[in-house]
Amino acid sequence: MPEYLPTAPYRGTRDFLPAEMSVRTQVFGHLYDVVERFGYQRYDGPILESAEIYEAKSGQEIADQQLYTLTDRGGRRLALRPEMTPSVARMIAGNAGSLQFPVRWYSHPNCHRYERPQRGRVREHWQLNVDIFGSDAASCEIEIFEVIHALMGEFGATRDMYAVRANDRTLLASALTDLAGVPAEHLAAVYSLVDRWEKYDRDKLAADAEEIGLSDKQFARLAETLGMGTALLDELPAEVKDASNLVQVLRSEAAELVQFDPLIVRGLAYYTGTVFEVFDTSPENNRALFGGGRYSDLAGLFTAKEIPGIGFGMGDVTLIDFLTTHGLLPSPRSEYDVAVIPVTADLTGAARSVATRLRSAGLRTSSPLEHRKLGKELTRADKAGARAVVIVGQEDWDAGNVTVRSLATREQTTVALDAAADSVAALL
Amino acid sequence: MPEYLPTAPYRGTRDFLPAEMSVRTQVFGHLYDVVERFGYQRYDGPILESAEIYEAKSGQEIADQQLYTLTDRGGRRLALRPEMTPSVARMIAGNAGSLQFPVRWYSHPNCHRYERPQRGRVREHWQLNVDIFGSDAASCEIEIFEVIHALMGEFGATRDMYAVRANDRTLLASALTDLAGVPAEHLAAVYSLVDRWEKYDRDKLAADAEEIGLSDKQFARLAETLGMGTALLDELPAEVKDASNLVQVLRSEAAELVQFDPLIVRGLAYYTGTVFEVFDTSPENNRALFGGGRYSDLAGLFTAKEIPGIGFGMGDVTLIDFLTTHGLLPSPRSEYDVAVIPVTADLTGAARSVATRLRSAGLRTSSPLEHRKLGKELTRADKAGARAVVIVGQEDWDAGNVTVRSLATREQTTVALDAAADSVAALL
């Protein structure tokens, strides 16, 4: 017996069979529709990038443990992109001279990370990237929050199903140093501790704080500060707040778009101001769905020009989990709208010409590849989710007619060939 | 001075800035529309596959010289897919029990091959894959040829701009053995020679034939046979022709879809019957655009089940070259349809609410992120290709109105807020 190769996809990656692909295509299409209604322009870049652009900026976890790297036959060290930001920074830097800033760009790359596959984590995922480059105005924050709500709303999500929580790293830095008294040299490590604040219990946090070098007293003061929640904002110095884009948003009529949350940090190194995360509020799926933030100097690796920006990345796995949890996932489309069925094999060519007419009218039209009995073809069309069939019989055909049958009502009518497309369209 | 990383993409790959991406999106969208009108279902698979599936089937050139391979942190040998056929074979084999054959599937993967970049060849390209699996009927060939003409026609290509040339490997095998007297052991090598027939001069072909092991006399007879062109068909044994799908097509009313050409072979190892190529007929770009063929046993690596099929792969680079040569490439879309411009900074929130209304009506709507003079914003909107702007001034706003201005005619009218979307839509 011969040995066959396994048919499962590579661990942590996914095959998309037509039904799953139809759902994915609809979900992705909604994303594109929404961001394009906000005037965002789509771009794309290669999957393979020079490995060094990730080693420099994406943070140690990605570069050391998660990056897929390879060396090409010419000796170049390459990586499969784990995220889009370094690529878009490269593109923005390379084209900064000809771009009219601010620009609104979006992309939808598939990204690779070597991770242990688990719920919400795969090795290849699609990430919607939405960014504004070249403006540090608070209206960017407002628009990005509007885009997020529009994206969620496009799927039918209501405001009770998710929450947009935001912080500003400048506010957090002030809270940690001015209020909690964290020494400047521990700031980066304490960011990371804040990021874990809701996931760990108090003992584990205290142990981590000790490891960082905080005294018990410093940890207690940190816990007290973070425990203040929204009220923390009242305690911060006015000049820090006045300089914060997020505070400007919270003081505007757009305040309802977002909740201030001092525990939001975001892991990525390049954020410098506003940071935000969108949470699923359902008890079964209570976790961060996606997030983003503001960076003061996106393209610093590639150019001396300082280009600020703000944006987010939304992964397909968590989004689809969210939509599934809330019953918002679209159903797969039917395979086709209509099948054209010749009653005898002699009429195959006739059926083909009818199918061509229907396609010209924009109808998704199938016609059998092998001749089978009418009943079998009707069953097949029904299973495909078609709404109608056009039956081509000899007598009808000789008279310039065809029979249009509704698969929902099983009613059928004989119509002139010219009227077939309209007659089918009326059944969709 | 700091050193900056280069901003060019990896050699042989492409960045798609918004204008190029808009063209690409439209071109790809046309492809999907056409194949879906024929009832083809889209699927997708991972970019990373086990390296062995290419080493077994894709032919030596790909496996030895063109494959991008890597080993993951778990020691698995992987490759970036150089083509989609092995992936789809894996998926079809893995799901053969639940699929209702014949199935019509399409995909649009990006594929990687390590090649020297040159006109029409890049290292990362997008390839439309269109296949029928599970039928060996000649109606599959006819439909595939219809799809090809529909694809070309969708872009406005007329039948004089391209030619669909087809052969059948069973006919070629008969011509080579029965007519030209090529010994069976040289058949594979002679296929490859036929594939080069039109590219090389006679001396080079003769030298290659000698290397294969053909005598001068055998080569002369081969040249005579291939030189017969279409007339070759008349010389072939009836039983060979009767068994050929391509001959069935040529005998049917669908004969006009394709030209018989005994020199078409196709490089890939898995074709067993019909093979075809689509040629650009323009003198500047006279070459094969894309092609495909029939295979009797697609999924033999993965399953004992014999699954015949037929399909083709169409690369984006050659297609876009063709469209460019013939003046058929779509223009980039405008950045957005309409901009909403507040006359003063105080009206930014008002403008935002107007923009939300327009978006709800499906209009691609931009509103400024930073306040600038009206004239500057009008220029910006014009440059973005917008057809209209909505101007939000204090007096209008207090009266519940806005001003809608056509950027084409520069005419403007004051309309009630409720009527703004319709008024803008009328200008698109």
Side-chain angles (χ1 to χ4, degrees):
Chain A
M1 214 180 117
E3 271 207 35
Y4 295 108
L5 297 180
T7 59
Y10 167 54
R11 186 169 148 82
T13 69
R14 293 165 288 167
D15 287 335
F16 293 87
L17 295 176
E20 296 155 311
M21 188 66 188
S22 174
V23 172
R24 182 184 119 173
T25 302
Q26 292 175 74
V27 169
F28 289 6
H30 285 317
L31 302 179
Y32 310 156
D33 286 348
V34 170
V35 293
E36 291 187 7
R37 285 207 297 273
F38 279 82
Y40 286 71
Q41 309 284 108
R42 191 167 176 181
Y43 66 94
D44 198 12
I47 285 182
L48 289 174
E49 290 274 6
S50 166
E52 62 189 343
I53 74 174
Y54 306 109
E55 290 159 351
K57 271 279 179 181
S58 295
Q60 279 315 109
E61 191 187 6
I62 290 177
D64 291 351
Q65 297 160 32
Q66 300 184 339
L67 206 58
Y68 281 92
T69 54
L70 67 147
T71 303
D72 80 3
R73 286 159 204 258
R76 285 183 188 78
R77 280 189 60 245
L78 303 171
L80 271 69
R81 63 180 169 216
E83 54 155 340
M84 198 62 173
T85 304
S87 298
V88 73
R90 181 179 61 66
M91 291 166 67
I92 290 277
N95 296 278
S98 59
L99 293 171
Q100 193 148 6
F101 291 107
V103 297
R104 295 170 167 99
W105 277 17
Y106 84 97
S107 63
H108 203 208
N110 49 347
C111 300
H112 286 83
R113 292 191 189 188
Y114 187 73
E115 298 194 277
R116 199 171 61 79
Q118 54 182 293
R119 178 156 193 220
R121 284 189 192 262
V122 292
R123 290 179 175 174
E124 179 185 37
H125 80 130
W126 275 259
Q127 190 186 55
L128 179 74
N129 281 253
V130 177
D131 291 275
I132 298 169
F133 301 112
S135 172
D136 51 19
S139 56
C140 301
E141 268 81 351
I142 294 177
E143 182 168 296
I144 288 291
F145 297 143
E146 284 187 308
V147 169
I148 288 170
H149 288 292
L151 285 167
M152 302 303 278
E154 189 78 0
F155 295 101
T158 49
R159 291 286 285 269
D160 57 310
M161 296 179 186
Y162 66 97
V164 182
R165 301 191 198 149
N167 197 1
D168 187 324
R169 285 205 178 172
T170 63
L171 299 178
L172 185 60
S174 169
L176 296 179
T177 51
D178 302 336
L179 301 184
V182 172
E185 71 268 25
H186 295 327
L187 213 49
V190 173
Y191 277 163
S192 160
L193 187 65
V194 175
D195 198 28
R196 302 192 293 274
W197 203 261
E198 286 185 306
K199 287 175 206 142
Y200 291 174
D201 64 22
R202 185 58 60 104
D203 288 349
K204 171 84 175 113
L205 291 171
D208 283 7
E210 197 182 335
E211 205 164 299
I212 289 168
L214 298 188
S215 66
D216 287 357
K217 207 175 143 188
Q218 283 175 320
F219 176 70
R221 215 169 137 194
L222 174 67
E224 191 194 342
T225 305
L226 294 173
M228 293 169 75
T230 317
L232 174 64
L233 216 47
D234 302 327
E235 309 299 320
L236 293 175
E239 67 275 18
V240 171
K241 287 192 282 190
D242 291 348
S244 160
N245 277 8
L246 181 62
V247 172
Q248 281 193 58
V249 175
L250 294 172
R251 286 172 179 166
S252 79
E253 81 290 345
E256 57 92 24
L257 297 173
V258 64
Q259 296 166 24
F260 171 66
D261 183 339
L263 295 178
I264 301 293
V265 184
R266 303 288 296 158
L268 288 168
Y270 40 69
Y271 294 123
T272 54
T274 307
V275 281
F276 53 89
E277 281 185 350
V278 180
F279 285 82
D280 189 338
T281 54
S282 73
E284 314 94 274
N285 195 41
N286 189 245
R287 57 175 178 156
L289 297 171
F290 63 96
R294 175 174 277 289
Y295 27 84
S296 59
D297 181 18
L298 174 81
L301 270 183
F302 302 101
T303 174
K305 191 178 162 86
E306 273 199 21
I307 303 168
I310 180 169
F312 63 87
M314 178 199 248
D316 69 319
V317 178
T318 43
L319 173 64
I320 285 175
D321 278 352
F322 170 82
L323 297 175
T324 305
T325 302
H326 293 273
L328 300 173
L329 200 66
S331 300
R333 282 180 88 189
S334 64
E335 278 183 49
Y336 43 80
D337 300 320
V338 55
V340 180
I341 309 172
V343 175
T344 62
D346 290 347
L347 289 162
T348 300
R352 195 176 297 127
S353 71
V354 175
T356 302
R357 276 174 182 261
L358 300 182
R359 288 179 192 126
S360 300
L363 296 166
R364 294 180 305 137
T365 307
S366 181
S367 80
L369 295 164
E370 297 174 3
H371 188 73
R372 299 193 304 170
K373 288 209 177 110
L374 182 59
K376 287 204 166 177
E377 289 299 339
L378 289 175
T379 307
R380 178 71 187 87
D382 213 30
K383 200 161 173 179
R387 303 294 297 273
V389 295
V390 174
I391 301 165
V392 183
Q394 192 65 54
E395 258 182 61
D396 275 356
W397 186 248
D398 291 341
N401 295 330
V402 292
T403 296
V404 174
R405 179 183 170 108
S406 160
L407 288 173
T409 66
R410 300 183 178 199
E411 279 168 30
Q412 58 184 51
T413 48
T414 301
V415 301
L417 187 54
D418 282 346
D422 285 345
S423 180
V424 169
L427 297 174
L428 299 188
Chain B
M1 214 180 116
E3 271 207 33
Y4 295 108
L5 297 179
T7 60
Y10 167 53
R11 186 169 149 82
T13 69
R14 293 166 288 167
D15 288 335
F16 293 88
L17 295 177
E20 296 154 311
M21 188 66 187
S22 174
V23 172
R24 182 183 119 175
T25 303
Q26 292 176 74
V27 169
F28 288 7
H30 284 316
L31 302 178
Y32 310 155
D33 286 349
V34 169
V35 293
E36 291 187 6
R37 286 207 297 273
F38 278 83
Y40 287 71
Q41 309 284 108
R42 191 167 176 180
Y43 67 93
D44 197 13
I47 285 183
L48 289 175
E49 289 274 5
S50 165
E52 62 189 343
I53 74 175
Y54 305 109
E55 288 158 353
K57 270 280 179 180
S58 295
Q60 280 313 110
E61 192 188 5
I62 290 178
D64 291 350
Q65 297 160 33
Q66 301 185 338
L67 207 57
Y68 282 91
T69 54
L70 67 148
T71 303
D72 80 3
R73 286 159 204 258
R76 285 183 188 79
R77 280 190 58 246
L78 303 172
L80 272 68
R81 63 181 168 215
E83 53 154 339
M84 198 63 174
T85 304
S87 298
V88 73
R90 180 180 61 66
M91 290 166 68
I92 289 278
N95 296 279
S98 59
L99 292 171
Q100 191 148 6
F101 291 106
V103 297
R104 294 169 168 102
W105 277 17
Y106 84 97
S107 63
H108 202 207
N110 49 348
C111 300
H112 285 83
R113 292 192 189 187
Y114 187 72
E115 297 195 279
R116 197 171 63 79
Q118 52 181 295
R119 176 153 195 223
R121 282 187 193 264
V122 292
R123 290 178 176 175
E124 179 186 37
H125 80 131
W126 274 258
Q127 190 186 55
L128 179 75
N129 281 253
V130 177
D131 290 275
I132 298 169
F133 301 111
S135 172
D136 52 19
S139 57
C140 301
E141 268 81 351
I142 294 176
E143 182 168 295
I144 288 290
F145 296 144
E146 283 186 308
V147 169
I148 288 171
H149 288 292
L151 285 167
M152 302 303 277
E154 189 78 0
F155 295 102
T158 49
R159 291 288 283 270
D160 57 310
M161 295 178 186
Y162 66 96
V164 183
R165 300 191 199 149
N167 197 1
D168 187 324
R169 286 204 178 171
T170 63
L171 300 178
L172 185 61
S174 169
L176 295 179
T177 51
D178 301 335
L179 302 185
V182 172
E185 71 268 27
H186 296 325
L187 213 49
V190 173
Y191 277 163
S192 160
L193 187 64
V194 175
D195 199 26
R196 301 193 293 274
W197 203 262
E198 287 185 307
K199 286 175 207 145
Y200 291 173
D201 64 22
R202 186 57 61 104
D203 287 349
K204 171 84 175 116
L205 292 169
D208 283 7
E210 197 181 335
E211 205 164 298
I212 289 167
L214 298 188
S215 65
D216 287 355
K217 208 175 141 188
Q218 282 174 321
F219 175 71
R221 216 170 136 193
L222 174 66
E224 190 194 344
T225 306
L226 295 173
M228 293 169 75
T230 317
L232 175 64
L233 215 49
D234 302 327
E235 308 300 318
L236 293 175
E239 67 274 18
V240 171
K241 287 193 282 190
D242 291 348
S244 160
N245 277 8
L246 181 63
V247 172
Q248 280 192 60
V249 175
L250 294 172
R251 287 172 180 166
S252 79
E253 81 290 345
E256 56 92 25
L257 296 174
V258 64
Q259 297 164 23
F260 171 65
D261 183 338
L263 295 178
I264 302 294
V265 184
R266 303 288 296 158
L268 290 168
Y270 39 69
Y271 294 124
T272 53
T274 307
V275 281
F276 53 89
E277 281 184 352
V278 180
F279 284 82
D280 188 337
T281 55
S282 73
E284 315 94 274
N285 195 41
N286 189 248
R287 58 177 179 155
L289 297 171
F290 63 96
R294 177 173 275 291
Y295 27 82
S296 60
D297 181 17
L298 174 80
L301 271 183
F302 302 100
T303 174
K305 190 177 163 87
E306 272 198 24
I307 303 167
I310 180 169
F312 63 87
M314 179 199 248
D316 69 319
V317 178
T318 42
L319 173 63
I320 286 174
D321 277 353
F322 170 82
L323 297 175
T324 305
T325 302
H326 293 275
L328 299 173
L329 200 66
S331 301
R333 281 180 89 190
S334 63
E335 279 184 48
Y336 43 81
D337 299 320
V338 56
V340 180
I341 309 172
V343 174
T344 62
D346 290 348
L347 289 161
T348 301
R352 196 176 295 129
S353 71
V354 175
T356 302
R357 275 173 182 261
L358 300 182
R359 287 180 191 124
S360 300
L363 297 166
R364 295 180 304 136
T365 308
S366 182
S367 80
L369 295 164
E370 297 175 3
H371 189 71
R372 299 193 305 170
K373 288 208 176 110
L374 182 59
K376 287 202 167 179
E377 290 298 341
L378 289 174
T379 306
R380 178 72 187 87
D382 213 29
K383 201 160 173 180
R387 302 294 298 273
V389 296
V390 174
I391 300 164
V392 183
Q394 192 65 55
E395 260 183 60
D396 275 357
W397 187 248
D398 291 341
N401 295 329
V402 292
T403 295
V404 174
R405 179 183 171 106
S406 160
L407 287 174
T409 66
R410 299 181 178 201
E411 280 168 27
Q412 59 185 50
T413 47
T414 302
V415 300
L417 188 52
D418 282 346
D422 285 345
S423 180
V424 169
L427 296 174
L428 298 188

